[in-house]
Amino acid sequence: MCGVFGVYAPGRDVARLAYFGLFALQHRGQESAGIAVSEDGRVTALRELGLVAQVFDEQNLSGLRGGLAIGHTRYSTTGGNAWSNTQPVVHHGRARTVSLGHNGNLVNADELRASTGKTLQSSSDSEVIAVLVADDQRPLADALAATMERLEGAASVVGLSEGKLFAFRDRYGFRPLVLGRLGDDPVVASETCALDLVGARFERELRPGELLVADEDGVHVRQAVEPAPEGALCIFEFFYLARPDTRLAGVEVHAARVRMGERLAEEAPVEADLVMPIPDSGTPAAVGFSRASGIPFSEGLVKNRYVGRTFIQPEQGMRDQGIRMKFNPLAEVAGKRVVAVDDSIVRGSTTRQIVQMLFDAGATEVHIRISSPPVISPCFYGIDLASEEEMIASHSTVEEVRAAIGATSLAYLSLDGLQAATRRPANALCRACLTREYPTPVPLDGAKLRFEAAL
Ligand code: SF4
């Protein structure tokens, strides 16, 4: 998971626009943030571990001058959480200097790294993309198209080189990438919510396999790579990752999540006194569950919003610490039969602690309802779910998961129910972590830290 943003707008304060664009994309990655600008072909990048608001201030932003800017918020999926893996990466190659930010994960990163013949600075798969473009002697758009041909897996990329902004999406379209306009100036971003924040109007999504280059002559778009016959927009974006106010493939994420909750109430009804979300991503589905079941909605748990998402924090020790810092139950759950709605269970450790917290607060029954099917298989396309051994549902029945988390009852939304709520056809979405049916070949070793030793 990462957020990317780019703007080509000579005459505007592009670094500030990138800052606010990243601010809207903070939920996609909280490990590091960075902005690169280009002025007269010269690239300046500032990237650091931390949240957007921690990395940038008035002083360092005012030093980032140029006519175009890109930005990145990172959550690591290949390569650890180290400064060398922050983005945008910058590579000075044989043909040009390239800076880029990447959302997604390549499944052929090993092979591509080896093909560069270089010792790279980072252990991420994203630097490889920059190297391939920077070393290619053909004109920039051709070098980009040739590089896109070689990428397998997920890549929504924004970059700058030779005073031009570029953006592209892999042939499957795993990760979203949208084009907007600020006046006539092009803006690209992972999600529509970033366009909204900077005041850009949505124009359209980039199509799978499409390449965009913006320069002084305008925006040039070409279908650089044949799109896959079936698209693979990540279904996890719909129920977990994307911000609720974002529109994915024309569908508002919040509304889709409400429909998931409504369908869940039909599929797995329960007698209870209140419906509460496990905040924040469980909230719209809890609203839907409450609406469809007629059981009153209430908060139940208060979340400290200034602590990062526990799911996003990469180490188990941090996750355990995170849950205690993050939630506090309200007195009104005491004596009640509670339905707690969440978007997913991956390892089960967070849900178990929340169930215990609700019983400790006096709930008489805790019914867990999940607005997605069981997560049973890893993601190789940019969401660091966990390994299959760590996923509780990959080796347990629903009843075993219920017992492990200590809930009174447990039910998941069916795959058909989830699919219907997205209003997208099944062949337009990747659902591999729920079905084990991957749209591409997957690497034997997809371990996140596999390139660390090569540095
Ligand atoms: S495997 Fe799962 S998380 Fe990964 S892209 Fe596919 S649907 Fe999304």
Side-chain angles (χ1 to χ4, degrees):
M1 299 182 286
C2 293
V4 293
F5 183 88
V7 55
Y8 183 95
R12 293 186 195 257
D13 187 344
V14 289
R16 195 167 297 265
L17 287 168
Y19 171 84
F20 283 107
L22 294 185
F23 210 69
L25 298 172
Q26 185 72 84
H27 61 288
R28 297 185 71 86
Q30 298 160 359
E31 293 180 359
S32 71
I35 293 174
V37 293
S38 172
E39 186 176 38
D40 301 327
R42 201 180 64 249
V43 175
T44 310
L46 175 61
R47 54 206 175 106
E48 194 49 84
L49 296 173
L51 300 172
V52 176
Q54 293 169 322
V55 171
F56 297 100
D57 56 32
E58 276 292 343
Q59 200 177 351
N60 61 24
L61 263 187
S62 61
L64 292 173
R65 283 190 296 272
L68 60 155
I70 59 170
H72 188 267
T73 56
R74 180 167 194 256
Y75 169 69
S76 51
T77 50
T78 296
N81 180 20
W83 186 86
S84 58
N85 285 332
T86 58
Q87 296 191 30
V89 298
V90 180
H91 188 82
H92 306 286
R94 286 190 282 274
R96 58 183 62 84
T97 294
V98 171
S99 179
L100 62 78
H102 171 209
N103 175 206
N105 206 52
L106 302 178
V107 294
N108 64 340
D110 308 55
E111 172 197 320
L112 292 177
R113 272 178 89 89
S115 77
T116 65
K118 288 183 168 178
T119 303
L120 304 186
Q121 307 290 314
S122 73
S123 60
S124 81
D125 54 348
S126 311
E127 187 185 2
V128 181
I129 305 173
V131 173
L132 294 175
V133 180
D135 281 351
D136 192 316
Q137 306 286 348
R138 287 168 278 194
L140 177 63
D142 295 336
L144 286 161
T147 299
M148 289 170 66
E149 274 290 351
R150 299 184 60 189
L151 307 181
E152 288 294 337
S156 279
V157 171
V158 297
L160 48 86
S161 185
E162 301 176 351
K164 300 173 184 181
L165 173 75
F166 64 83
F168 63 81
R169 216 168 157 207
D170 64 77
R171 73 184 80 218
Y172 291 90
F174 285 102
R175 302 279 147 231
L177 192 60
V178 294
L179 168 66
R181 297 275 180 173
L182 194 57
D184 289 333
D185 297 328
V187 181
V188 285
S190 293
E191 295 186 31
T192 57
C193 65
L195 301 181
D196 296 340
L197 194 146
V198 302
R201 69 182 184 282
F202 171 76
E203 191 164 299
R204 67 178 179 83
E205 302 195 337
L206 262 73
R207 286 184 285 273
E210 197 171 42
L211 167 65
L212 174 151
V213 177
D215 60 20
E216 59 198 9
D217 298 323
V219 170
H220 317 275
V221 181
R222 71 197 232 197
Q223 189 67 46
V225 177
E226 188 71 23
E230 299 193 340
L233 176 60
C234 168
I235 204 165
F236 234 86
E237 297 270 356
F238 280 94
F239 65 80
Y240 172 75
L241 180 54
R243 228 171 74 160
D245 52 337
T246 278
R247 297 172 301 284
L248 283 176
V251 175
E252 191 205 59
V253 169
H254 174 84
R257 290 179 185 166
V258 171
R259 287 193 291 274
M260 289 168 205
E262 290 170 346
R263 176 77 178 243
L264 187 55
E266 287 165 23
E267 292 184 4
V270 61
E271 295 240 329
D273 304 310
L274 70 88
V275 175
M276 52 163 280
I278 296 180
D280 286 322
S281 44
T283 302
V287 168
F289 195 104
S290 170
R291 260 186 216 166
S293 65
I295 303 169
F297 175 94
S298 181
E299 292 274 340
L301 276 177
V302 170
K303 180 181 176 187
N304 179 351
R305 293 194 166 74
Y306 305 100
V307 181
R309 288 178 173 202
T310 51
F311 176 69
I312 276 187
Q313 310 227 3
E315 303 302 331
Q316 184 62 40
M318 292 169 75
R319 248 189 298 276
D320 289 344
Q321 185 60 24
I323 189 73
R324 287 192 291 273
M325 291 158 61
K326 219 168 120 172
F327 297 109
N328 219 5
L330 292 171
E332 75 168 312
V333 303
K336 302 258 172 52
R337 298 169 298 170
V338 170
V339 182
V341 182
D342 205 354
D343 56 82
S344 53
I345 298 178
V346 180
R347 292 173 174 82
S349 50
T350 303
T351 315
R352 179 170 37 77
Q353 292 174 72
I354 287 172
V355 169
Q356 189 58 50
M357 198 179 266
L358 293 170
F359 277 127
D360 290 346
T364 56
E365 296 175 5
V366 178
H367 302 275
I368 297 291
R369 293 293 179 271
I370 303 296
S371 62
S372 66
V375 179
I376 54 172
S377 201
C379 174
F380 298 95
Y381 311 118
I383 295 202
D384 186 22
L385 293 174
S387 66
E388 192 158 333
E389 303 78 64
E390 293 169 310
M391 291 173 171
I392 189 166
S394 74
H395 48 79
S396 311
T397 63
V398 173
E399 172 51 24
E400 286 166 346
V401 176
R402 183 207 63 74
I405 63 175
T408 311
S409 75
L410 166 68
Y412 293 89
L413 181 61
S414 67
L415 188 58
D416 282 352
L418 174 63
Q419 187 73 56
T422 67
R423 298 205 163 141
R424 303 289 301 148
N427 66 2
L429 296 171
C430 176
R431 317 178 305 173
C433 52
L434 314 174
T435 61
R436 295 197 174 99
E437 290 164 16
Y438 292 93
T440 71
V442 294
L444 290 175
D445 178 9
K448 172 173 154 180
L449 303 179
R450 65 192 183 280
F451 298 132
E452 308 290 320
L455 295 179

